[in-house]
Amino acid sequence: MPARTGTEYLAGLADQREIWFAGERVKSVVDHPILGRAARTLAELYDMQWNPVLQSKLTYPSPTTGEPVSLAFIQPRSVEDLVRRRVMFKHWADFSGGMLGRTPDYLNAILAGCASSRLYFAGNGTEYGERISKYYELSRDRDLCATHTFIDPQINRARSQSEQADPTVPLHVIGESAEGLVVSGARMLATLAPYADELYVFPSPSRTQQSDAPRFAFAFAVPVATPGLKFICRESLDGGGSPADYPLTSRYEEMDAVAVFRDVVVPWERVFLKGDIVLCNRLFRDTPAFLHGIHQFTVKNLAKAEFVLGVASLMAEAIGRTELPAYQQMLGEIVDAVETERAFLRAAEADAITDARGFVHPNPEILSTARNYFPKIYPRLIEILQLIGSSGLMATPSERDLETPGLGEEIDRYYQSATLMGKERVQLFRLAWDLACSGFAGRQVLYERFFAGDPFLLMASRFLNYDRSTAVARVKALLARSREQSE
Ligand SMILES: Cc1cc2nc3c(=O)[nH]c(=O)nc-3n(C[C@H](O)[C@H](O)[C@H](O)COP(=O)(O)OP(=O)(O)OC[C@H]3O[C@@H](n4cnc5c(N)ncnc54)[C@H](O)[C@@H]3O)c2cc1C
């Protein structure tokens, strides 16, 4: 099967998946009045793959079937491949202004990176390496959409899994059968779970405490619709409001859910690591697989910073503040964020590394810095939107007010700005509200702070794992010269 259309993607969600939302088991995600909205948004991404103008930019021929498949699955063998894939990422990211954090290309790229590192998985046994390769090909050629869950529930973070008061809460192996590995327990958190075809259950890229006993050490994938697997969604941020009132929330509420496993059988061909604590802990450190995910979300971060710049610029123009140096400085900060993201991408591609098997990976040092940069700058970008908009973010009557005879005309007059009549101004400021102040906006900030791993550990690991020897030697040489000169 080649790259899917939106209709094919939506049809794939009609299965026996166990999604719990607002106290009920969801019968059909697509037909659900709230959850269905983001499903249809994601379907638009899949349709882009069959847009005649875009298809050559979004797909490449599958190495096994020759049919067009998403470029997110490519295993880059040149810098040109990285650039082609970046262009594909950017088309998808621009579609939502970067507001859909978890478009399927993110995990597709990580899976392709895992398959390029199949020898690492083979360290657990030859068959494990073959399984990850075959699973990658299956996902690529069926254009599957995945979510992932890397971390255990937040029970007592001062204790390892086996030291928890109830060590059966974190996901663990309870047995093996002829069919596969049997697991029970919970994992948090799976963004996009109601909309995904597959769930990857892998070790965390940012913490080593994971897998402190063999029964917690594994990497596998299961269909979202697997017997015994349920997802408990958080409350939706989308109250069903109109796209005019909630231009972002109504389209891009991608949902987060906790995954609960009860005696789930993971077929052997889907078990990629098992029982080897060191291999699990080092998976995303000793292989470049996760780098490909960072490549994807650095593109998303560029799209997001550009989107914030567009909104902030229009707001500042609307209220006649672009002449003010303080506003210019704040807008300049956003420009710097945009250009920093762009520079990260260009540098990571230009200084890509080629491995022994001829696979090309974006530069790890540059992308590690990129990964640590956005969680710090995004909250500031949102703060700037709040500072620029100030009380204007409260002058935001609803679509119904605008349509009410008499009131609508008054709003058009009394809400006017330097560049916009009232109705246009309200439209712009409602967008800014959804981006900077709504529940959706709050979750976006939390997402950017944490989704790529614990920012605290990630920052510390830059110090711990960075080769500082040249810098240290240079300083020691200067100190030695100073000593010699003073003797
Ligand atoms: C919106 C959202 C979506 C997410 N989606 C996914 C997903 O799809 N899949 C997935 O696997 N995960 C997902 N995550 C989870 C993400 O991986 C975790 O949030 C991240 O790894 C941090 O772990 P934690 O939240 O359990 O924080 P904890 O480990 O419980 O830490 C709590 C706080 O303590 C800080 N901290 C930790 N150690 C120290 C220390 N030594 N000193 C000082 N402070 C410290 C942390 O930085 C954090 O601020 C998502 C998170 C969010 C918020």
Side-chain angles (χ1 to χ4, degrees):
M1 184 196 267
R4 288 191 293 177
T5 63
T7 306
E8 288 165 341
Y9 161 71
L10 291 175
L13 299 180
D15 53 23
Q16 294 304 307
R17 64 189 53 214
E18 191 174 341
I19 307 290
W20 286 84
F21 175 74
E24 288 178 357
R25 182 170 176 180
V26 176
K27 290 194 184 74
S28 160
V29 170
V30 177
D31 296 332
H32 192 277
I34 297 295
L35 297 179
R37 306 219 285 185
R40 284 186 285 284
T41 301
L42 287 156
E44 289 182 57
L45 288 177
Y46 282 94
D47 275 338
M48 281 167 79
Q49 303 187 123
W50 287 94
N51 176 327
V53 179
L54 293 176
Q55 193 174 52
S56 64
K57 296 189 175 76
L58 302 185
T59 64
Y60 75 114
S62 161
T64 46
T65 67
E67 294 186 298
V69 291
S70 169
L71 261 169
F73 284 108
I74 199 169
Q75 292 179 298
R77 289 197 172 264
S78 63
V79 171
E80 287 70 38
D81 283 348
L82 288 176
V83 173
R84 276 170 82 196
R85 186 178 68 175
R86 186 232 304 150
V87 170
M88 179 265 144
F89 290 156
K90 190 69 170 27
H91 275 289
W92 271 21
D94 280 339
F95 167 80
S96 69
M99 295 297 131
L100 275 176
R102 203 55 69 76
T103 46
D105 49 341
Y106 168 62
L107 281 174
N108 296 346
I110 292 178
L111 181 62
C114 286
S116 307
S117 305
R118 77 177 159 75
L119 295 179
Y120 184 90
F121 292 86
N124 216 156
T126 327
E127 67 276 26
Y128 290 84
E130 286 160 10
R131 289 173 191 165
I132 193 78
S133 294
K134 286 210 172 112
Y135 179 73
Y136 156 68
E137 287 175 12
L138 173 126
S139 297
R140 180 192 65 204
D141 293 338
R142 292 201 192 161
D143 202 8
L144 297 179
C145 168
T147 177
H148 68 70
T149 177
F150 285 164
I151 62 166
D152 295 313
Q154 203 177 37
I155 313 168
N156 182 344
R157 287 281 189 251
R159 303 234 169 124
S160 69
Q161 291 141 320
S162 50
E163 291 168 347
Q164 297 293 331
D166 182 352
T168 64
V169 173
L171 185 63
H172 59 284
V173 175
I174 57 169
E176 296 185 8
S177 71
E179 289 77 40
L181 197 64
V182 189
V183 295
S184 277
R187 273 284 178 108
M188 63 187 278
L189 192 63
T191 299
L192 207 76
Y195 308 109
D197 305 302
E198 294 279 312
L199 171 68
Y200 302 170
V201 182
F202 275 48
S204 162
S206 66
R207 58 182 77 213
T208 39
Q209 193 184 314
Q210 204 82 353
S211 311
D212 77 319
R215 68 182 183 284
F216 300 107
F218 39 69
F220 63 78
V222 283
V224 164
T226 290
L229 172 59
K230 71 160 69 106
F231 293 90
I232 305 171
C233 297
R234 61 165 164 75
E235 184 180 358
S236 181
L237 305 166
D238 180 6
S242 75
D245 285 345
Y246 299 95
L248 304 178
T249 310
S250 63
R251 295 184 173 102
Y252 310 129
E253 221 302 54
E254 59 193 354
M255 188 47 75
D256 309 283
V258 170
V260 179
F261 298 70
R262 184 167 289 196
D263 302 338
V264 168
V265 179
V266 183
W268 285 117
E269 67 271 19
R270 287 166 161 275
V271 178
F272 310 126
L273 290 175
K274 176 180 78 79
D276 191 317
I277 297 169
V278 175
L279 274 183
C280 282
N281 271 335
R282 300 208 61 84
L283 170 62
F284 289 123
R285 268 153 249 199
D286 290 357
T287 75
F290 198 70
L291 281 178
H292 295 277
I294 307 180
H295 191 224
Q296 185 274 348
F297 67 69
T298 305
V299 176
K300 180 266 295 172
N301 295 346
L302 170 61
K304 205 163 186 166
E306 287 175 336
F307 190 71
V308 172
L309 178 62
V311 174
S313 302
L314 288 172
M315 285 163 77
E317 283 168 18
I319 58 172
R321 289 290 203 201
T322 50
E323 302 297 316
L324 210 60
Y327 270 61
Q328 291 168 355
Q329 280 179 20
M330 288 193 287
L331 289 161
E333 275 187 65
I334 311 178
V335 171
D336 275 355
V338 168
E339 290 307 318
T340 303
E341 294 298 334
R342 202 188 315 281
F344 281 142
L345 288 165
R346 293 296 296 272
E349 290 159 8
D351 292 350
I353 51 170
T354 305
D355 70 20
R357 298 179 60 215
F359 292 116
V360 172
H361 311 285
N363 186 281
E365 295 302 345
I366 295 163
L367 284 192
S368 298
T369 303
R371 178 192 196 176
N372 285 346
Y373 170 73
F374 206 65
K376 289 191 288 249
I377 197 68
Y378 189 68
R380 172 64 183 155
L381 301 187
I382 296 308
E383 183 185 25
I384 291 173
L385 284 179
Q386 292 178 356
L387 293 171
I388 288 178
S390 53
S391 66
L393 292 162
M394 299 291 97
T396 44
S398 69
E399 187 182 23
R400 284 178 67 181
D401 295 314
L402 293 172
E403 287 170 354
T404 302
L407 190 60
E409 288 76 42
E410 279 192 329
I411 290 170
D412 209 25
R413 178 168 170 228
Y414 289 115
Y415 286 62
Q416 67 180 280
S417 73
T419 58
L420 303 171
M421 284 310 288
K423 286 183 181 171
E424 290 170 313
R425 178 219 172 97
V426 168
Q427 189 190 18
L428 174 63
F429 276 69
R430 283 210 75 107
L431 171 61
W433 160 262
D434 217 5
L435 183 55
C437 306
S438 66
F440 176 88
R443 185 261 175 198
Q444 288 281 326
V445 171
L446 196 70
Y447 181 83
E448 294 303 348
R449 284 188 201 277
F450 287 110
F451 89 93
D454 181 333
F456 195 88
L457 296 178
L458 287 170
M459 189 53 81
S461 81
R462 292 300 284 139
F463 168 71
L464 294 171
N465 300 320
Y466 191 73
D467 180 3
R468 289 167 283 120
S469 56
T470 310
V472 168
R474 198 168 296 144
V475 175
K476 280 185 175 171
L478 181 131
L479 292 173
R481 273 202 309 279
S482 306
R483 270 197 304 275
E484 280 164 20
Q485 284 163 0
S486 61
E487 277 168 10

